[in-house]
Amino acid sequence: MPVHRPAPTLLTALFTLLLAALSPVPAQAGPAGPAVPVRGSAYMGTGVLAHDGQSGTPKTGLATQTEGVDVASYQGDVAWSTLLSSGVRWAYTKATEGTYYTNPSFAQQYDGAYDVGMVRGAYHFATPDTTGGAAQADYFVDHGGGWSQDGQTLPGVLDIEWNPYGSACYGKSASGMVSWITDFLNRYKARTGRAAVIYTATSWWTDCTGNYGGFGASNPLWVARYASDVGTLPAGWSTYTMWQYTSTGPTVGDHDKFNGALDKVVAFANG
């Protein structure tokens, strides 16, 4: 004989919903909190505050230092005229990330800096866990990261720093990371005729490359340190070309110093 079960009461239904709501949902763990950022959202200095902190800013008005900024898509349309009038003379714009992302604000940011007379360049946020170094260099050059000898275009930058999407060193050994960087730099040089700049922080470089010193003779250094001085540089470099010193500057947060007067910036652009 079939068993007749009573229809669920409203109280039963509410109890079922309550149990579902209280059931644990697997969290997507990330390096800076419970949620991993969306791929493509990384930017120059994305991990500096979390890993190295901030302790002061450099002295202002140094005649031998030229003010610059770096921007990415999250900053949207940039007020380049305002930045120019405040003393900013050079800028870098994020062009690409991995082989899967191009900055939707690239044209306004990259061309806008040029249009007001700034010296400008493009940078690539490296993701060594997704594709090879040579492939990412090709993607960068093909999507805005090239170079021309016009006095206003700076060489491309390899932004290699903490991984916002997973393990800090992208799952690579120190030797594996050095090999990946070498592949990127060699392909960029072959494609453009210029040596790419390396942007990094000393602590990341030490942890993830074993403080490798083999690039200093050929590739300029852009060091990240939010403090009153640059501190200890990564192995292989006795000086820096650029220094990202804060993420809380006026108009655009990420501000930088070029280690030289404006004529040196132009000379660096010309190669």
Side-chain angles (χ1 to χ4, degrees):
M1 175 181 293
V3 177
H4 296 284
R5 301 184 186 277
T9 64
L10 177 60
L11 183 60
T12 302
L14 289 173
F15 183 71
T16 302
L17 289 172
L18 179 61
L19 284 177
L22 293 175
S23 297
V25 177
Q28 189 178 12
V36 176
V38 175
R39 284 274 178 183
S41 63
Y43 53 89
M44 185 175 280
T46 192
V48 174
L49 280 176
H51 292 272
D52 281 354
Q54 180 160 345
S55 57
T57 55
K59 294 179 180 179
T60 59
L62 298 174
T64 56
Q65 300 276 302
T66 307
E67 193 75 7
V69 295
D70 57 273
V71 297
S73 61
Y74 76 94
Q75 287 149 326
D77 287 354
V78 175
W80 291 112
S81 296
T82 300
L83 285 166
L84 185 72
S85 65
S86 72
V88 173
R89 294 294 179 265
W90 60 275
Y92 268 92
T93 296
K94 180 182 178 181
T96 50
E97 178 178 316
T99 52
Y100 52 79
Y101 172 87
T102 58
N103 177 3
S105 298
F106 183 75
Q108 192 279 338
Q109 294 176 346
Y110 186 75
D111 296 338
Y114 182 95
D115 290 343
V116 299
M118 289 186 192
V119 187
R120 54 82 162 106
Y123 76 86
H124 173 79
F125 192 92
T127 57
D129 58 336
T130 60
T131 45
Q136 292 195 27
D138 281 333
Y139 190 78
F140 178 43
V141 173
D142 292 342
H143 295 88
W147 174 74
S148 58
Q149 195 174 20
D150 58 6
Q152 269 188 268
T153 304
L154 293 158
V157 172
L158 172 64
D159 178 357
I160 186 78
E161 56 175 299
W162 294 278
N163 177 13
Y165 312 117
S167 64
C169 300
Y170 300 86
K172 291 194 173 293
S173 65
S175 61
M177 183 63 74
V178 169
S179 294
W180 191 98
I181 294 170
T182 300
D183 289 345
F184 182 99
L185 298 177
N186 287 345
R187 182 61 63 87
Y188 187 82
K189 179 76 177 288
R191 290 285 307 272
T192 67
R194 285 299 302 267
V197 177
I198 295 175
Y199 167 96
T200 196
T202 300
S203 60
W204 183 91
W205 191 262
T206 301
D207 290 343
C208 296
T209 73
N211 207 21
Y212 178 75
F215 298 126
S218 55
N219 296 90
L221 172 67
W222 188 346
V223 67
R225 187 168 189 260
Y226 300 168
S228 58
D229 58 66
V230 297
T232 302
L233 299 179
W237 287 280
S238 60
T239 189
Y240 65 92
T241 298
M242 292 170 282
W243 167 26
Q244 187 189 55
Y245 68 88
T246 188
S247 62
T248 56
T251 309
V252 166
D254 299 339
H255 273 245
D256 311 270
K257 300 287 186 186
F258 187 93
N259 193 13
L262 182 57
D263 63 324
K264 300 297 184 184
V265 181
V266 174
F268 184 59
N270 276 321

